[in-house]
Coordinates of all heavy atoms in Angstrom, one line a residue:
Chain B
E105 N 194.5 98.6 181.4 CA 193.0 98.8 181.5 C 192.4 97.5 181.3 O 191.3 97.2 181.9 CB 192.6 99.8 180.3 CG 193.2 101.2 180.6 CD 192.3 102.3 180.0 OE1 191.1 102.1 179.8 OE2 192.9 103.3 179.5
V106 N 193.0 96.5 180.5 CA 192.4 95.1 180.6 C 192.5 94.6 182.0 O 191.5 94.0 182.6 CB 193.2 94.3 179.6 CG1 192.7 92.8 179.8 CG2 193.0 94.7 178.2
H107 N 193.6 94.7 182.6 CA 193.8 94.2 184.0 C 192.7 94.8 184.9 O 192.1 94.2 185.8 CB 195.2 94.5 184.5 CG 195.4 94.3 186.0 ND1 195.0 95.2 186.9 CD2 195.7 93.2 186.7 CE1 195.3 94.8 188.2 NE2 195.6 93.5 188.0
D108 N 192.5 96.1 184.7 CA 191.5 96.8 185.7 C 190.1 96.4 185.4 O 189.2 96.7 186.3 CB 191.7 98.3 185.5 CG 193.0 98.8 186.2 OD1 193.6 98.0 186.8 OD2 193.4 100.0 185.9
T109 N 189.8 95.8 184.3 CA 188.4 95.3 184.2 C 188.0 94.3 185.3 O 186.9 94.3 185.8 CB 188.1 94.6 182.8 OG1 189.0 93.5 182.6 CG2 188.3 95.6 181.7
H110 N 189.0 93.5 185.7 CA 188.7 92.5 186.8 C 189.2 92.9 188.1 O 188.8 92.3 189.1 CB 189.1 91.1 186.4 CG 190.5 91.0 185.9 ND1 191.6 91.0 186.7 CD2 191.0 90.8 184.6 CE1 192.7 90.8 186.0 NE2 192.4 90.7 184.7
H111 N 190.0 94.0 188.2 CA 190.5 94.5 189.5 C 190.4 96.0 189.6 O 191.5 96.7 189.8 CB 192.0 94.0 189.6 CG 192.0 92.6 190.2 ND1 191.8 91.5 189.4 CD2 192.3 92.2 191.4 CE1 191.9 90.4 190.2 NE2 192.2 90.8 191.4
P112 N 189.2 96.5 189.4 CA 189.1 98.0 189.4 C 189.4 98.6 190.8 O 189.8 99.8 190.9 CB 187.7 98.2 189.0 CG 186.9 97.0 189.4 CD 187.9 95.9 189.2
L113 N 189.2 97.9 191.9 CA 189.4 98.4 193.2 C 190.8 98.2 193.8 O 191.1 98.6 194.9 CB 188.3 97.9 194.2 CG 186.9 98.2 193.7 CD1 185.9 97.8 194.9 CD2 186.6 99.7 193.4
G114 N 191.6 97.4 193.1 CA 192.9 97.2 193.5 C 193.4 95.8 193.3 O 192.6 94.8 193.4
S115 N 194.7 95.7 193.0 CA 195.2 94.4 192.6 C 195.5 93.5 193.8 O 195.7 92.3 193.7 CB 196.5 94.5 191.8 OG 197.4 95.4 192.4
S116 N 195.4 94.1 195.0 CA 195.7 93.3 196.2 C 194.4 92.6 196.7 O 194.4 91.8 197.6 CB 196.2 94.1 197.4 OG 195.4 95.0 197.9
L117 N 193.3 93.0 196.1 CA 192.0 92.4 196.6 C 191.6 91.3 195.6 O 192.0 91.3 194.4 CB 190.9 93.5 196.6 CG 191.2 94.7 197.3 CD1 190.2 95.8 197.0 CD2 191.2 94.5 198.8
Y118 N 190.8 90.3 196.1 CA 190.3 89.2 195.3 C 189.3 89.7 194.3 O 188.5 90.7 194.6 CB 189.7 88.1 196.1 CG 190.7 87.3 196.9 CD1 190.6 87.4 198.3 CD2 191.6 86.5 196.3 CE1 191.6 86.6 199.0 CE2 192.4 85.8 197.0 CZ 192.4 85.8 198.4 OH 193.4 85.1 199.1
Y119 N 189.2 89.1 193.1 CA 188.2 89.5 192.1 C 186.8 89.3 192.8 O 185.9 90.2 192.6 CB 188.3 88.5 190.9 CG 187.1 88.5 190.1 CD1 186.7 89.7 189.3 CD2 186.2 87.5 190.0 CE1 185.6 89.8 188.5 CE2 185.0 87.6 189.2 CZ 184.8 88.7 188.5 OH 183.6 88.8 187.7
E120 N 186.6 88.3 193.6 CA 185.3 88.0 194.1 C 184.9 89.1 195.0 O 183.7 89.2 195.3 CB 185.4 86.7 194.9 CG 185.5 85.4 194.1 CD 186.7 85.2 193.3 OE1 187.8 85.8 193.7 OE2 186.7 84.6 192.2
D121 N 185.8 89.9 195.5 CA 185.4 91.0 196.4 C 185.2 92.3 195.6 O 185.0 93.4 196.3 CB 186.5 91.2 197.5 CG 186.6 90.0 198.4 OD1 185.6 89.4 198.6 OD2 187.7 89.7 198.9
Q122 N 185.3 92.3 194.3 CA 185.1 93.5 193.6 C 184.3 93.3 192.3 O 184.4 94.0 191.3 CB 186.4 94.2 193.3 CG 187.5 93.3 192.8 CD 188.9 94.1 192.7 OE1 188.9 95.2 192.2 NE2 189.9 93.4 193.1
R123 N 183.4 92.2 192.4 CA 182.7 91.8 191.2 C 181.7 92.9 190.6 O 181.7 93.1 189.4 CB 181.8 90.6 191.6 CG 182.4 89.3 191.3 CD 181.4 88.2 191.4 NE 182.0 87.0 191.0 CZ 181.7 85.7 191.5 NH1 180.7 85.7 192.4 NH2 182.3 84.7 191.0
A124 N 181.0 93.6 191.5 CA 180.1 94.6 191.0 C 180.8 95.8 190.3 O 180.4 96.3 189.2 CB 179.3 95.2 192.2
A125 N 181.9 96.2 191.0 CA 182.7 97.2 190.4 C 183.4 96.7 189.0 O 183.5 97.5 188.1 CB 183.8 97.7 191.3
A126 N 183.7 95.5 189.0 CA 184.3 94.9 187.8 C 183.3 94.9 186.6 O 183.7 95.2 185.5 CB 184.8 93.5 188.0
K127 N 182.1 94.7 187.0 CA 181.0 94.7 185.9 C 180.9 96.2 185.3 O 180.8 96.3 184.1 CB 179.7 94.4 186.5 CG 179.5 92.8 186.4 CD 177.9 92.5 186.6 CE 177.8 91.0 186.5 NZ 176.3 90.7 186.8
K128 N 180.9 97.2 186.2 CA 180.8 98.5 185.7 C 182.0 98.9 184.9 O 181.9 99.5 183.8 CB 180.7 99.5 186.9 CG 179.3 99.4 187.5 CD 179.0 100.5 188.6 CE 177.7 100.2 189.2 NZ 177.6 101.0 190.5
R129 N 183.2 98.6 185.4 CA 184.4 98.9 184.7 C 184.5 98.2 183.3 O 184.9 98.8 182.3 CB 185.6 98.6 185.6 CG 187.0 98.8 184.9 CD 187.5 100.2 185.0 NE 188.7 100.5 184.3 CZ 189.7 101.2 184.7 NH1 189.6 101.9 185.8 NH2 190.7 101.4 183.9
T130 N 184.0 97.0 183.3 CA 184.1 96.3 182.1 C 183.1 96.9 181.0 O 183.5 96.9 179.8 CB 183.7 94.8 182.3 OG1 184.7 94.2 183.2 CG2 183.7 94.0 181.0
E131 N 181.9 97.4 181.5 CA 181.0 98.0 180.6 C 181.7 99.2 179.9 O 181.6 99.5 178.8 CB 179.8 98.5 181.3 CG 178.7 97.4 181.4 CD 178.3 96.7 180.2 OE1 178.2 97.4 179.1 OE2 178.2 95.4 180.2
E132 N 182.4 100.1 180.8 CA 183.0 101.2 180.3 C 184.1 100.9 179.4 O 184.4 101.6 178.3 CB 183.5 102.0 181.5 CG 183.7 103.5 181.3 CD 185.2 103.9 180.9 OE1 186.0 103.0 181.0 OE2 185.4 105.1 180.7
F133 N 184.8 99.8 179.8 CA 186.0 99.4 179.0 C 185.5 99.1 177.5 O 186.1 99.5 176.5 CB 186.6 98.2 179.6 CG 187.8 97.6 178.8 CD1 189.0 98.3 178.7 CD2 187.6 96.3 178.2 CE1 190.0 97.7 178.0 CE2 188.8 95.8 177.5 CZ 189.9 96.5 177.5
W134 N 184.4 98.3 177.4 CA 184.0 98.0 176.1 C 183.2 99.0 175.3 O 183.2 99.1 174.1 CB 183.1 96.7 176.1 CG 184.1 95.4 176.2 CD1 184.5 94.8 177.3 CD2 184.7 94.9 175.1 NE1 185.4 93.8 176.9 CE2 185.5 93.8 175.5 CE3 184.6 95.1 173.6 CZ2 186.3 93.0 174.7 CZ3 185.4 94.2 172.8 CH2 186.2 93.2 173.3
S135 N 182.5 99.9 176.1 CA 181.8 101.0 175.4 C 182.7 102.2 175.0 O 182.5 102.8 174.0 CB 180.6 101.5 176.2 OG 181.1 102.1 177.4
E136 N 183.7 102.4 175.7 CA 184.6 103.6 175.5 C 186.0 103.3 175.1 O 186.5 103.8 174.2 CB 184.7 104.5 176.8 CG 183.3 105.0 177.3 CD 182.7 106.0 176.4 OE1 183.5 106.7 175.7 OE2 181.5 106.1 176.3
R137 N 186.6 102.4 175.9 CA 188.1 102.2 175.8 C 188.5 101.3 174.6 O 189.4 101.7 173.9 CB 188.7 101.7 177.1 CG 188.3 102.6 178.3 CD 188.7 104.1 178.2 NE 190.1 104.3 178.2 CZ 190.7 105.5 177.9 NH1 190.0 106.4 177.4 NH2 192.0 105.6 178.0
V138 N 187.8 100.2 174.5 CA 188.2 99.3 173.4 C 188.0 99.9 172.0 O 188.9 99.9 171.2 CB 187.4 97.9 173.4 CG1 187.6 97.1 172.2 CG2 187.8 97.1 174.7
P139 N 186.8 100.6 171.8 CA 186.7 101.3 170.5 C 187.8 102.3 170.3 O 188.3 102.6 169.2 CB 185.3 102.0 170.7 CG 184.6 101.1 171.7 CD 185.6 100.6 172.7
K140 N 188.2 103.0 171.4 CA 189.2 104.1 171.2 C 190.6 103.5 170.9 O 191.2 103.9 170.0 CB 189.3 105.0 172.5 CG 190.2 106.1 172.4 CD 190.1 107.2 173.4 CE 191.2 108.3 173.1 NZ 191.4 109.3 174.1
Y141 N 191.0 102.5 171.7 CA 192.3 101.9 171.5 C 192.4 101.2 170.2 O 193.3 101.3 169.4 CB 192.7 101.0 172.7 CG 193.3 101.6 173.9 CD1 192.5 101.8 175.1 CD2 194.6 102.1 173.9 CE1 193.1 102.3 176.2 CE2 195.2 102.6 175.1 CZ 194.4 102.8 176.2 OH 194.9 103.3 177.3
L142 N 191.5 100.2 170.1 CA 191.6 99.4 168.8 C 191.2 100.1 167.6 O 191.7 99.9 166.5 CB 190.7 98.1 169.0 CG 191.2 97.1 170.1 CD1 190.4 95.8 170.0 CD2 192.7 96.9 170.2
G143 N 190.3 101.1 167.7 CA 190.1 102.1 166.6 C 191.3 102.8 166.2 O 191.5 102.9 165.0
Y144 N 192.1 103.2 167.2 CA 193.4 103.9 166.8 C 194.3 102.9 166.2 O 194.9 103.3 165.1 CB 194.0 104.3 168.1 CG 195.4 104.9 168.1 CD1 195.6 106.1 167.6 CD2 196.4 104.1 168.6 CE1 197.0 106.7 167.6 CE2 197.7 104.6 168.6 CZ 198.0 105.9 168.1 OH 199.2 106.4 168.1
F145 N 194.5 101.7 166.6 CA 195.5 100.8 166.0 C 194.9 100.3 164.6 O 195.7 100.1 163.7 CB 195.7 99.6 167.0 CG 196.7 100.0 168.0 CD1 196.3 100.1 169.3 CD2 198.0 100.3 167.8 CE1 197.1 100.3 170.4 CE2 198.9 100.6 168.8 CZ 198.4 100.7 170.1
E146 N 193.6 100.2 164.5 CA 193.0 99.8 163.2 C 193.3 100.9 162.2 O 193.7 100.7 161.1 CB 191.5 99.6 163.4 CG 190.7 99.3 162.1 CD 191.0 98.0 161.5 OE1 191.6 97.1 162.2 OE2 190.7 97.8 160.3
W147 N 193.1 102.2 162.6 CA 193.4 103.3 161.7 C 194.8 103.3 161.3 O 195.2 103.5 160.1 CB 193.0 104.6 162.6 CG 193.3 105.9 161.9 CD1 192.9 106.3 160.6 CD2 194.1 107.0 162.5 NE1 193.3 107.6 160.4 CE2 194.0 108.0 161.5 CE3 194.7 107.3 163.6 CZ2 194.6 109.3 161.7 CZ3 195.3 108.5 163.8 CH2 195.3 109.4 162.9
L148 N 195.8 103.0 162.2 CA 197.2 103.0 161.9 C 197.4 101.9 160.8 O 198.2 102.0 159.9 CB 198.0 102.7 163.1 CG 198.1 103.8 164.1 CD1 199.1 103.5 165.3 CD2 198.5 105.1 163.5
S149 N 196.8 100.8 161.0 CA 197.0 99.6 160.1 C 196.5 99.9 158.7 O 197.2 99.5 157.7 CB 196.3 98.3 160.7 OG 195.0 98.4 160.4
E150 N 195.4 100.6 158.7 CA 194.9 101.1 157.4 C 195.8 101.9 156.6 O 196.0 101.9 155.4 CB 193.6 101.7 157.5 CG 192.4 100.8 157.8 CD 191.2 101.6 158.4 OE1 191.2 102.8 158.3 OE2 190.3 100.9 158.9

Side-chain angles (χ1 to χ4, degrees):
Chain B
E105 297 206 31
V106 170
H107 169 271
D108 287 351
T109 59
H110 49 77
H111 276 75
L113 301 187
S115 50
S116 72
L117 309 168
Y118 289 112
Y119 166 68
E120 286 69 22
D121 295 329
Q122 48 189 315
R123 269 191 172 150
K127 272 195 178 178
K128 285 186 187 165
R129 175 81 186 221
T130 301
E131 276 310 318
E132 202 263 0
F133 178 70
W134 277 96
S135 66
E136 302 288 334
R137 307 305 286 167
V138 172
K140 184 166 180 192
Y141 276 106
L142 296 193
Y144 171 75
F145 284 109
E146 177 70 16
W147 177 54
L148 293 182
S149 80
E150 285 165 9

